[in-house]
């Protein structure tokens, strides 16, 4: 039993990353020769990014809105979750700009010239969201345009006759299951791919005993503490009208489960129970928590924007304000599509790196960092769900739409 638990894929992947790190230092030439194994893994993963994003976003909109959950109190819930995620993302941007300026000096990456973001200006940001040709956007992997197209298709699906809407949702559901099955197959070879990726990256990177990652760890910790101790408590106190720190203590069981499992989905039953013990209406928990598990990703938004900007500096990219705004917008969209399972941000992070022009092989550094930060970031996501449900419950009791949507 212990051996089976030890041989879980995430453990093997982490050990492979450590082994690749050691090999990269000890045998850089050999590490470069086996780099193609990582390229195979990345190519397979990239193959699934576009279909996964299209189907996931379409389902998220068509299912929730099709059940009437984006009306009345649902709009308040969605607005609250996107608002707190935006605040978390802004916190991450500020931490990146103030705490990561010297990261590129401590960690230098060799073998990359320019960023795809180099030619993007602020005036092009809005137009970059709109696909002039949906098929071309899918073929070229224009992530933001695909997200916008998927949202529009999901909203249009709401207006169809119920039988047609249910048929499309069923087809998309089956497609999502099919895509996830293929991704699970690809992840089987993740330890081999990550081993060669990390080894090759280390061979081309001048790390001073990985001390440069300390900048990233420190920035993530500071940004997370600001969100946990200041942002969410302020919202809870002034909008939710409850004692935020006492509330954190009372719902600690759900936070500990999230920390232990690194799965917001697995924590849902515990979250519902501890909230109801705090006097939250069961109708509120039954409605807001599942929606929050899909849309409210405070920790992921804060974390992803920091990692993307850090890897950009490692690759020698100097992001302008307009370019950071583009990253902010994409992180806001992609973090809401992050799966509520351990390591669920891997595909979305790959999509972001691909969009902004950062070498995808640097995802090996992300995986090393993510192995340590995945549990606390998941706990931060769950904490956002708990605060959101408690806050929204204040308005749910007086909203007549709740009884029809819960």
């Amino acid at each position: 039993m212990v051996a089976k638990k030890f041989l879980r894929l995430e453990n093997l992947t982490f050990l492979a990353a450590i082994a690749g790190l050691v090999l990269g230092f000890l045998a850089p030439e050999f590490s470069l020769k086996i780099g193609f194994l990582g390229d195979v893994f990345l190519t397979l993963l990239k193959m699934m990014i576009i279909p996964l994003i299209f189907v996931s976003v379409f389902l998220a909109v068509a299912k929730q809105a099709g059940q009437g959950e984006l009306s009345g109190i649902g709009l308040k819930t969605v607005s609250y979750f996107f608002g707190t995620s935006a605040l978390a993302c802004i916190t991450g941007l500020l931490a990146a700009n103030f705490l990561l300026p010297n990261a590129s000096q401590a960690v230098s990456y060799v073998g990359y010239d320019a960023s795809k973001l180099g030619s993007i200006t602020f005036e092009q940001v809005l137009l970059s969201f709109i696909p002039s040709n949906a098929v071309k956007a899918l073929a070229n992997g224009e992530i933001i345009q695909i997200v916008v197209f998927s949202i529009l298709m999901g909203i249009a699906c709401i207006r169809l006759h119920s039988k047609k809407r249910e048929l499309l949702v069923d087809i998309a559901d089956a497609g999502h299951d099919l895509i996830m099955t293929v991704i699970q197959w690809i992840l089987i070879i993740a330890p081999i791919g990550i081993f060669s990726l990390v080894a090759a990256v280390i061979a081309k990177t001048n790390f001073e005993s990985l001390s440069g990652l300390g900048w990233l760890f420190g920035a993530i910790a500071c940004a997370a503490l600001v969100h946990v101790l200041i942002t969410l408590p302020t919202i809870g106190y002034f909008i939710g009208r409850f004692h935020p720190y006492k509330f954190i203590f009372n719902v600690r069981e759900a936070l500990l489960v999230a920390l232990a499992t690194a799965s917001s989905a697995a924590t849902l039953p515990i979250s519902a129970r501890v909230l109801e013990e705090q006097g939250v209406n069961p109708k509120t928990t039954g409605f807001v928590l599942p929606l929050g598990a899909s849309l409210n990703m405070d920790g992921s938004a804060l974390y992803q924007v920091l990692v993307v900007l850090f890897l950009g500096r490692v690759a020698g990219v100097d992001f302008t304000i307009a370019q950071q705004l583009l990253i902010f917008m994409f992180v806001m969209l992609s973090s809401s599509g992050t799966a509520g399972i351990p390591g669920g941000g891997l595909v979305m992070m790959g999509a972001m790196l691909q969009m902004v022009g950062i070498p995808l092989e640097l995802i090996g550094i992300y995986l090393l960092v993510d192995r340590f930060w995945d549990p606390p970031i998941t706990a931060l996501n769950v904490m956002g769900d708990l605060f959101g449900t408690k806050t929204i419950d204040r308005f749910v009791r007086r909203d007549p739409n709740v009884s029809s949507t819960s």
Side-chain angles (χ1 to χ4, degrees):
M1 192 64 154
V2 176
K4 184 177 180 181
K5 185 177 181 180
F6 178 77
L7 293 176
R8 290 168 60 181
L9 183 61
E10 56 264 33
N11 292 332
L12 292 176
T13 302
F14 175 67
L15 292 175
I18 296 299
L21 187 150
V22 174
L23 182 67
F25 276 117
L26 299 180
E29 293 185 5
F30 178 74
S31 297
L32 294 176
K33 290 181 180 179
I34 64 171
F36 75 95
L37 295 174
D39 293 337
V40 171
F41 171 67
L42 287 179
T43 302
L44 291 171
L45 197 60
K46 288 167 64 177
M47 177 179 67
M48 305 308 299
I49 288 175
I50 302 306
L52 177 63
I53 290 176
F54 175 75
V55 174
S56 297
V57 174
F58 173 82
L59 282 174
V61 176
K63 274 188 172 182
Q64 294 167 0
Q67 297 169 3
E69 293 179 352
L70 294 182
S71 62
I73 196 66
L75 287 176
K76 295 178 182 177
T77 302
V78 173
S79 299
Y80 175 90
F81 284 152
F82 273 103
T84 55
S85 293
L87 290 174
C89 197
I90 291 171
T91 301
L93 280 172
L94 292 174
N97 281 283
F98 286 103
L99 301 179
L100 294 181
N102 297 321
S104 59
Q105 297 177 14
V107 182
S108 58
Y109 177 77
V110 180
Y112 183 63
D113 290 329
S115 168
K116 292 179 183 178
L117 275 181
S119 60
I120 295 178
T121 62
F122 179 79
E123 291 76 10
Q124 294 173 298
V125 171
L126 181 60
L127 287 177
S128 70
F129 274 67
I130 306 171
S132 60
N133 185 322
V135 176
K136 183 180 178 181
L138 290 167
N140 293 340
E142 301 292 343
I143 306 295
I144 292 183
Q145 295 182 6
I146 293 168
V147 170
V148 172
F149 178 71
S150 303
I151 291 174
L152 290 176
M153 292 299 101
I155 294 174
C157 184
I158 305 167
R159 307 301 299 271
L160 298 178
H161 187 275
S162 60
K163 289 185 178 180
K164 293 182 179 180
R165 183 175 66 245
E166 291 171 3
L167 175 61
L168 287 174
V169 170
D170 287 342
I171 292 174
D173 258 327
H176 182 269
D177 291 344
L178 180 65
I179 292 168
M180 292 307 298
T181 299
V182 176
I183 289 177
Q184 290 300 320
W185 291 348
I186 295 172
L187 291 179
I188 291 175
I189 65 170
I192 299 175
I194 297 306
F195 170 75
S196 60
L197 274 176
V198 173
V201 168
I202 294 299
K204 291 189 279 186
T205 306
N206 181 25
F207 288 91
E208 296 179 353
S209 300
L210 295 180
S211 61
L213 292 180
W215 288 96
L216 179 59
F217 274 64
I220 295 172
C222 290
L225 287 174
V226 168
H227 196 70
V228 167
L229 299 179
I230 299 177
T231 305
L232 289 178
T234 300
I235 293 172
Y237 184 79
F238 288 102
I239 300 179
R241 301 296 176 85
F242 60 89
H243 194 297
Y245 302 111
K246 183 178 179 180
F247 177 73
I248 293 174
F249 179 79
N250 290 336
V251 299
R252 64 189 181 280
E253 182 183 355
L255 299 176
L256 290 174
V257 170
L259 192 63
T261 62
S263 173
S264 56
T267 312
L268 272 175
I270 308 298
S271 298
R273 180 171 59 79
V274 297
L275 283 172
E276 289 171 17
E277 290 174 354
Q278 296 303 307
V280 178
N281 192 324
K283 290 184 178 181
T284 307
T285 60
F287 170 69
V288 179
L289 277 180
L291 192 62
S294 300
L295 296 179
N296 187 39
M297 294 293 172
D298 294 0
S300 297
L302 177 151
Y303 173 63
Q304 288 176 1
V305 73
L306 266 166
V307 172
V308 169
L309 291 179
F310 177 82
L311 294 181
R313 286 190 168 92
V314 171
V317 182
D318 186 17
F319 295 114
T320 65
I321 297 299
Q323 293 165 353
Q324 290 187 38
L325 176 62
L326 182 62
I327 294 174
F328 167 83
M329 292 178 178
F330 184 74
V331 167
M332 284 296 299
L333 291 171
S334 66
S335 64
S336 298
T338 301
I341 57 175
L346 174 62
V347 175
M348 290 301 179
M349 178 57 67
M352 274 191 288
L353 296 185
Q354 185 179 14
M355 184 201 75
V356 301
I358 297 173
L360 195 54
E361 59 194 57
L362 285 179
I363 203 170
I365 296 177
Y366 160 74
L367 287 168
L368 280 173
V369 174
D370 191 59
R371 182 63 178 84
F372 295 97
W373 279 104
D374 191 22
I377 291 303
T378 300
L380 183 53
N381 288 336
V382 171
M383 183 174 172
D385 293 343
L386 295 169
F387 264 80
T389 307
K390 177 68 173 176
T391 300
I392 293 167
D393 185 57
R394 180 190 169 204
F395 305 97
V396 165
R397 298 174 186 273
R398 69 182 76 165
D399 196 307
N401 291 324
V402 174
S403 59
S404 63
T405 59
S406 51

